[in-house]
Amino acid sequence: TPTALHFLGNYCLELNKDSKAEAVYQHFISKYPNHELVVSAKGALGQIKIRRGDEQGAEAIYQKIRTEYANHPRLPEVIADAGIRYYQRARTEQRLGRTGYADYYRKAIGIWESVIRDFPQSPGAAQACYHSAVVYGQELREYKQAFQCYQRVAESWPDYEYAWHAQFSVGEYYQ
């Protein structure tokens, strides 16, 4: 079934079996071009490019996705997932002691900011703002920006699952 095939691609992606995931997603896209999960499969191909270091290729994929699927309900999630992949890339680079890892954190934040700006009513906007706060505070040590993001989560999305933590963090920054 299409859903099972998409699940297999996601499973391979999470196991870092990028070549296998890429083949599964390509097959899924060609066999089920009108399926609701095609946008997610295409986004996963962008994630693979990010992990491989092909940032231009990833950017081209995400620009095409934004154009072709401008009104798709999964678009904010797909875009935000690219931010997660850049965040993971930053963590890897940092763990390996490579310089320039902060650039990947900033790319992740830039993507999340685009989700907040372009899809403010989507559930992904709250998550993107929260992720930005965490990265600003814990990874980049830019506490003013972290505070602003936590405050925005607490005020704009009080029902978000981590709004309680955002409220707690705002209080911590006041101390």
Side-chain angles (χ1 to χ4, degrees):
T1 67
T3 306
L5 191 58
H6 186 268
F7 175 82
L8 177 62
N10 288 348
Y11 185 69
C12 292
L13 184 67
E14 290 309 309
L15 291 176
N16 296 323
K17 306 280 186 190
D18 289 349
S19 294
K20 185 69 153 177
E22 186 174 36
V24 170
Y25 288 129
Q26 292 287 11
H27 178 69
F28 174 83
I29 292 165
S30 66
K31 187 164 176 133
Y32 305 104
N34 297 318
H35 194 276
E36 67 177 296
L37 292 174
V38 166
V39 65
S40 178
K42 288 181 178 184
L45 292 173
Q47 290 181 45
I48 291 168
K49 296 231 180 249
I50 292 168
R51 192 154 48 199
R52 289 180 174 164
D54 182 4
E55 295 173 39
Q56 288 181 331
E59 181 63 26
I61 286 172
Y62 286 108
Q63 287 300 326
K64 193 170 182 183
I65 288 171
R66 278 183 174 265
T67 302
E68 290 179 3
Y69 300 94
N71 297 315
H72 196 285
R74 291 182 189 262
L75 181 60
E77 173 188 338
V78 169
I79 300 299
D81 285 346
I84 296 291
R85 198 57 70 189
Y86 275 115
Y87 169 79
Q88 291 170 339
R89 180 89 191 265
R91 298 282 301 210
T92 299
E93 297 291 313
Q94 187 175 16
R95 188 178 65 252
L96 295 173
R98 297 183 180 149
T99 60
Y101 64 86
D103 292 340
Y104 292 112
Y105 285 130
R106 293 196 188 291
K107 284 186 184 205
I109 290 170
I111 289 168
W112 294 326
E113 286 175 351
S114 78
V115 171
I116 297 163
R117 179 190 65 242
D118 298 342
F119 312 101
Q121 302 305 317
S122 74
Q127 185 178 32
C129 195
Y130 181 79
H131 285 319
S132 296
V134 170
V135 172
Y136 275 131
Q138 294 180 8
E139 306 299 343
L140 297 174
R141 308 285 191 244
E142 295 179 14
Y143 302 114
K144 181 178 179 182
Q145 289 86 345
F147 171 81
Q148 290 171 346
C149 289
Y150 281 129
Q151 189 170 36
R152 186 167 183 193
V153 170
E155 292 174 358
S156 300
W157 302 283
D159 296 329
Y160 173 61
E161 66 181 309
Y162 297 114
W164 66 270
H165 184 261
Q167 291 171 336
F168 174 80
S169 297
V170 166
E172 287 289 302
Y173 281 107
Y174 269 120
Q175 290 183 2

